Amino acid sequence: MSVPETELVIVVDFGGQYSHLIARRIREHNVFCEMLPYNTPLEEIKNKKPRGLIFSGGPSSVYKDGAPRIDPAVYDLRIPILGICYGMHLMAFQLQGQVSGAQLDESGRTEIEIIDGSGLLGCMEEKDLCWMSHGDRVEAPPPGFKVLARTAKTPVAAMAAPERGLYALQFHPEVVHTPKGQEILRHFLFAICGCTGSWTMSSFVEQTVAEIRARVGNRRALCALSGGVDSSVSAVLVHRAIGDQLTCVFVNHGLLRKDEAETVQAVFRDQFNINLVYVDAAQRFLDKLRGVTDPERKRKIIGEEFIRVFEEEAAKVGERDYLVQGTIYPDVVESGTATAAVIKSHHNVGGLPENMRLSLIEPLRWLFKDEVRRVGEELGMPAQIVWRQPFPGPGLAVRILGEVTAEKVDLLQRADAIVTGEIAKAGLDREIWQYFAILPGLYSVGVMGDERTYAHTVGIRAVHSHDGMTADWAKIPYDVLERISSRIVSENKEINRVVYDITSKPPATIEWE
Ligand code: XMP
């Protein structure tokens, strides 16, 4: 899919921890924004006709060997540029200002004094607050620049050469700890770059639908629907464009949560009238998993079997030209950055055969997750799909420790439905990243009436996270935990004990396997 046809701002990424955040903040102003690595050829940047460029921060010092640089011709393109932190150091350095590698370490909420509040910093009070996080600093701005602000430790906290459209901030306007940050970005986007804020989710839907329609013509597309947010929104979007020329295949591997398979069918077949091939392959997966206890083997078996089932079903559907995939922007930006060590092989179930040789339709490849959810809402999709919590491809198989059996799946589904139901009832479902039950395969002694019991333990896991890479265990109120626990044991005689996992990631992982 091509970049949306709209006013564009490019974040040139120098590797800063907040680069994504800058992009998201810009989009909150209804301005479309793309992130490109700093070594993108200038010609490519120019051809995209951006209204403005933002240079992100970065971990490096301009004086380090191999520090990321940009072609200095960028300053003469007559495209407004806002440099942030490292982006500012680089601008100062390349335009003959003075940068010190003093490793000053000014960080955190910092008082800033505005020297020139006539333009970019017009929204700030004479003494205001900003968020600093830097080692180097600009000692003197390049010729032709004026100093807009300073702090106790930083003589040039903001600088500008307005007639050249060049601006730079030492502090981070994109983080919430700079209270006027959004207003500063807004000034840059609207007053300096001339954006109008025309990029909305409804304009995105309209434009994407038109584009898919034009591209596909009367050909046909196939979509592997997992029930997750991304593939679901992709399917509904593509269906809006090409209707019955789209067929979705939903493989139920039998390791889904309670009622999930039914919900998917009700939404896609009944509500949206989408051609849906529903495949109940539960027994097939259980057979393959019999006797298997190693987590990685489980993942591998499920992943491979999924591809096999999908291929068989795709063959029955007949000749197709396009494959719809729910790739989203973080997948695009992050692909290529190698992760350090494989802790778990996250081959996504829904990861599809590479040899299908279909052209890809990836209608969400420009969107962040929250934007995908807004598109889902725009398309009238139900909250239970749009706000679905992340769920691992191998499903409950990685929440049942040891061998997976039909009885254990059924038991875990029932316990899990209580956890999710009570969390939702307590209004915590959009606040907590993931919350679910685990069946560790542990038996312990209990007492029921006058009888001794020897039954399953169920674990509860609930974590806060932004991206699944790190996570904090959620401090769920005791009364909610109590309701969950007493319902699990009173409604399931096979369970006599409930424990709560109070480990964060690291050192634990979110899933137990
Ligand atoms: P961990 O357990 O590694 O999980 O802390 C991080 C995030 O990834 C999800 N997860 C998976 N997703 N296939 C997936 O598609 C997998 O095999 C898999 N294992 C874990 C997990 O639910 C969490 O959101």
Side-chain angles (χ1 to χ4, degrees), residues 433-434 461-474 503-510:
W433 167 266
Q434 271 177 292
R461 183 80 165 133
V463 294
H464 295 293
S465 177
H466 292 295
D467 52 12
M469 302 294 284
T470 59
D472 292 324
W473 66 276
T503 5
S504 290
K505 173 183 180 176
T509 51
I510 295 176

Side-chain angles (χ1 to χ4, degrees), residues 90-239:
L90 187 67
M91 186 186 286
F93 179 77
Q94 292 188 309
L95 295 174
Q96 275 74 53
Q98 254 183 52
V99 181
S100 91
Q103 288 306 311
L104 159 94
D105 282 336
E106 181 176 43
S107 70
R109 212 173 248 254
T110 307
E111 191 178 80
I112 185 167
E113 184 190 340
I114 307 304
I115 299 165
D116 181 339
S118 60
L120 185 66
L121 303 185
C123 60
M124 291 185 106
E125 307 294 330
E126 209 168 306
K127 294 262 162 82
D128 215 313
L129 287 172
C130 68
W131 183 261
M132 288 287 192
S133 170
H134 63 119
D136 288 5
R137 70 178 182 193
V138 175
E139 298 288 349
F145 276 70
K146 55 186 179 181
V147 178
L148 306 183
R150 64 177 161 238
T151 69
K153 288 188 180 174
T154 305
V156 188
M159 63 179 198
E163 49 302 326
R164 295 177 69 185
L166 302 179
Y167 297 82
L169 303 171
Q170 177 56 74
F171 60 90
H172 291 269
E174 69 278 19
V175 305
V176 291
H177 310 291
T178 299
K180 306 267 174 57
Q182 273 295 62
E183 282 177 66
I184 296 170
L185 285 178
R186 187 175 177 82
H187 184 91
F188 178 71
L189 297 171
F190 288 72
I192 294 171
C193 300
C195 295
T196 58
S198 57
W199 191 67
T200 61
M201 286 307 123
S202 72
S203 68
F204 171 83
V205 167
E206 209 176 291
Q207 190 193 330
T208 307
V209 163
E211 198 177 319
I212 295 170
R213 211 172 269 158
R215 180 170 166 214
V216 175
N218 55 12
R219 289 182 290 272
R220 291 183 304 170
L222 187 67
C223 173
L225 195 61
S226 71
V229 184
D230 306 338
S231 75
S232 298
V233 174
S234 300
V236 173
L237 195 54
V238 174
H239 178 257

Side-chain angles (χ1 to χ4, degrees), residues 299 344-349 390-394 398-399 433-434 468 505 509-511 513:
R299 277 195 170 77
K344 298 175 186 182
S345 58
H346 281 201
H347 49 216
N348 222 344
V349 169
F391 186 65
V398 293
R399 295 178 181 173
W433 167 266
Q434 271 177 292
K505 173 183 180 176
T509 51
I510 295 176
E511 306 291 344
E513 276 197 341

Side-chain angles (χ1 to χ4, degrees), residues 355-403:
N355 58 359
M356 288 189 74
R357 281 199 230 104
L358 299 177
S359 306
L360 288 184
I361 299 179
E362 297 174 309
L364 308 176
R365 65 179 284 120
W366 300 104
L367 302 190
F368 288 109
K369 194 76 170 193
D370 53 326
E371 294 166 336
V372 173
R373 296 195 208 275
R374 275 160 52 211
V375 168
E377 285 176 335
E378 180 76 31
L379 292 166
M381 298 176 67
Q384 78 218 83
I385 294 210
V386 171
W387 289 97
R388 189 179 185 265
Q389 55 168 320
F391 186 65
L396 300 184
V398 293
R399 295 178 181 173
I400 294 170
L401 276 57
E403 189 186 5

